[in-house]
Amino acid sequence: MTAPESIALAIKQIDEKKQKLKKAFDDLQAHRSLLSPSFNLSWSDIDSHFSSLSDRFRLLQSDKTEPPPAVTTETPLLWPELRTFCENMDGKGLGTFMVDNSNKRLSIKPELAQAIRSSSSPAALVLDAIEGSYHCSPSSSADARRIFVLLLEALIEVKPNLTFELRERARTLASDWRLNIGNKPSEALGFLHLVVVFELVSVFKMEEILDYVFLISNCKQATTLSKKLGLDYTIVAGIVHKLLHTGRLLAAISFIYEFEMTDRFRPVNVLKTSLYNSREAAKRVCAQAGNSLKAQNEATDKELSALRLVIKVIKERNLEIEFFEEDLEESVQELENLRARTTQAAKLASPANPPKRPRAAMGNNLTAPTQSQQPPLLPDPRHGLQVNPFGFVNSTVPRVNVPYGNQLAPYGSVPAPAIAARPVYYEQQTGYGLRPQYQPPYYPQ
């Protein structure tokens, strides 16, 4: 309601309100003997006040002018084609268009839900889009599955009206879809979105649904889908147990926090075990490949990735008090430096650029180089490296140890990041300090 409309309405209500007030005043006067002697208000005073208000309202009405209509400027759409497909209920065209532009899906996503809302039947449109592109060529299959998830996520946001016929179409599609899931998280992710949108949880066995939830546990949508599937506390606790005992520790952390289970599971213990496991995995990578430079680089990369993920979780969950974050960051820096040194050493040892043979003083005959002419393969002392009795290179940088416990390995590795001094279940020893046979207590004793 505009300001002039509000003023006009107030003017119309003056007489009605004055009559009601006059009746109340007369009732009050009937009990005047009970009132204080200082009460000397007369009806003429009240009537005069109303007349004054009426005059002011009318004055405002005469002076008030209607404001010019607001100019609304819509942000131009990056993908107007989306709205065209949706308004025309061309689901197959929409699906094909999105699969063809799957590499731009991040810019498509913000406009997708609003475009789908413009269709006469959002649920039917999305089913048409998926069914029209489901049996696409193998080369674009992965892109299609990502687009299906995008479409179904947008449909969840739209909250479509579902008819029996639409749910039956979705059930048929889901039954075909599950046959292709196998161990592929991308297929399970799309399937679970379809089940959520079209309310098909009761159609399938809960054990099967939980297997698919476990399969997508590393996906960012896993906890959100679990909530929309209606999984209760007991079921999710079982999922967390399985994640912990199969080594998917960071995925377990997400479930623990999203379902508020920190009183039942200890996140700090889980993160420390994740650090330990990453260290052990790095050792195995080196051992299986004979501690080659390539294996050491791969092991360093894995350990770096694990450290960064743990640091990210620590910051997101405000667990800095439980860890020495500076030591973790320092370990990341040391691993990065180690990676750079081993890469440089590999280049120095590479036979790709052998030394050129010098020409003879006279003539064009080439002479074989003598031993003294061979360029030294020893590392530059400035790099902090030295050759050990076995002919390998060891690090002389302070606080740098041999990699992953192998005394004959060519290059040094950084010590494990320091954990907070307060013991939880770790032994006081170097590295991550957990004996291989020790089973960490994730649960409060």
Side-chain angles (χ1 to χ4, degrees):
M1 184 180 293
T2 63
E5 291 173 343
S6 300
I7 294 171
L9 180 61
I11 292 173
K12 290 179 181 179
Q13 292 176 342
I14 287 177
D15 291 336
E16 180 185 352
K17 290 182 177 180
K18 189 163 66 171
Q19 290 175 5
K20 291 180 179 179
L21 185 59
K22 179 67 167 65
K23 184 178 182 302
F25 183 81
D26 291 340
D27 292 339
L28 183 64
Q29 288 295 99
H31 300 86
R32 188 175 181 85
S33 60
L34 301 176
L35 299 176
S36 169
S38 62
F39 182 82
N40 56 3
L41 185 65
S42 65
W43 173 249
S44 61
D45 295 331
I46 298 174
D47 186 62
S48 175
H49 180 68
F50 263 90
S51 298
S52 175
L53 287 176
S54 178
D55 292 339
R56 290 181 183 180
F57 274 125
R58 287 187 172 90
L59 181 62
L60 284 172
Q61 187 180 40
S62 62
D63 292 342
K64 193 74 177 178
T65 57
E66 189 72 27
V71 178
T72 58
T73 57
E74 291 188 2
T75 304
L77 297 174
L78 294 176
W79 300 95
E81 301 92 338
L82 297 177
R83 186 176 291 271
T84 301
F85 285 122
C86 294
E87 289 176 348
N88 295 334
M89 282 298 293
D90 184 3
K92 185 174 181 180
L94 175 65
T96 301
F97 175 79
M98 291 185 64
V99 171
D100 291 342
N101 291 277
S102 63
N103 60 328
K104 302 172 184 175
R105 61 186 178 276
L106 292 181
S107 66
I108 289 176
K109 184 177 181 179
E111 298 181 12
L112 186 56
Q114 192 60 36
I116 290 176
R117 281 194 183 95
S118 68
S119 67
S120 58
S121 178
L125 176 78
V126 170
L127 283 176
D128 290 342
I130 295 176
E131 290 170 346
S133 304
Y134 186 78
H135 299 290
C136 58
S137 61
S139 60
S140 60
S141 177
D143 291 335
R145 297 308 183 262
R146 296 187 188 99
I147 293 302
F148 297 163
V149 169
L150 207 62
L151 285 165
L152 291 166
E153 285 179 337
L155 194 57
I156 290 175
E157 183 179 342
V158 170
K159 299 178 181 177
N161 293 323
L162 300 177
T163 64
F164 175 78
E165 290 77 15
L166 287 172
R167 292 188 73 246
E168 282 299 298
R169 280 182 62 187
R171 184 185 63 78
T172 301
L173 177 61
S175 297
D176 292 339
W177 201 320
R178 61 193 282 267
L179 299 178
N180 298 318
I181 294 178
N183 290 318
K184 293 173 282 190
S186 61
E187 294 284 359
L189 189 63
F191 172 82
L192 290 176
H193 274 90
L194 186 66
V195 168
V196 166
V197 175
F198 290 93
E199 302 170 0
L200 302 175
V201 178
S202 61
V203 175
F204 302 95
K205 294 181 179 179
M206 182 53 67
E207 292 80 3
E208 184 178 5
I209 295 290
L210 295 181
D211 285 342
Y212 298 147
V213 170
F214 179 78
L215 188 58
I216 67 160
S217 58
N218 287 326
C219 301
K220 63 181 181 180
Q221 303 100 322
T223 54
T224 302
L225 282 174
S226 296
K227 290 180 179 179
K228 292 185 180 299
L229 287 166
L231 304 185
D232 61 27
Y233 186 94
T234 303
I235 291 176
V236 174
I239 293 174
V240 173
H241 276 281
K242 187 173 181 180
L243 291 171
L244 291 174
H245 292 292
T246 53
R248 299 192 179 195
L249 305 184
L250 295 183
I253 286 287
S254 296
F255 279 88
I256 290 169
Y257 276 100
E258 291 302 319
F259 286 87
E260 300 179 357
M261 294 182 166
T262 53
D263 58 334
R264 181 165 181 174
F265 303 96
R266 293 176 173 175
V268 173
N269 291 15
V270 177
L271 288 174
K272 290 178 178 179
T273 302
S274 178
L275 289 173
Y276 169 77
N277 288 352
S278 69
R279 183 70 164 184
E280 292 300 299
K283 291 180 182 179
R284 288 194 298 272
V285 168
C286 282
Q288 290 169 1
N291 289 292
S292 65
L293 283 176
K294 180 179 179 181
Q296 289 188 60
N297 285 337
E298 182 181 347
T300 302
D301 290 342
K302 286 181 179 295
E303 200 166 354
L304 268 172
S305 177
L307 269 172
R308 287 176 178 140
L309 281 173
V310 168
I311 291 172
K312 181 173 181 285
V313 173
I314 289 171
K315 291 179 177 179
E316 287 177 349
R317 306 301 181 181
N318 300 317
L319 295 173
E320 289 88 349
I321 194 173
E322 303 286 353
F323 291 83
F324 293 141
E325 187 182 353
E326 295 81 3
D327 288 347
L328 292 176
E329 295 284 3
E330 182 181 350
S331 294
V332 168
Q333 186 60 51
E334 289 177 341
L335 282 168
E336 289 174 344
N337 293 341
L338 171 66
R339 183 72 165 82
R341 290 200 302 271
T342 54
T343 300
Q344 182 62 28
K347 290 180 180 179
L348 292 174
S350 173
N353 297 308
K356 295 182 179 180
R357 294 181 178 183
R359 291 181 179 273
M362 296 181 62
N364 294 325
N365 294 329
L366 298 179
T367 59
T370 63
Q371 185 66 26
S372 62
Q373 293 172 326
Q374 293 280 1
L377 296 179
L378 299 179
D380 190 330
R382 292 172 298 175
H383 295 164
L385 302 173
Q386 66 181 14
V387 178
N388 65 19
F390 300 97
F392 295 103
V393 180
N394 286 335
S395 172
T396 59
V397 179
R399 296 183 63 201
V400 176
N401 303 324
V402 291
Y404 313 116
N406 189 325
Q407 297 293 332
L408 301 183
Y411 297 94
S413 173
V414 299
I419 306 298
R422 187 178 63 175
V424 181
Y425 62 82
Y426 284 79
E427 297 289 333
Q428 296 297 323
Q429 46 184 296
T430 59
Y432 293 128
L434 182 62
R435 296 175 181 172
Q437 72 273 17
Y438 191 86
Q439 296 299 320
Y442 302 111
Y443 328 105
Q445 303 298 318

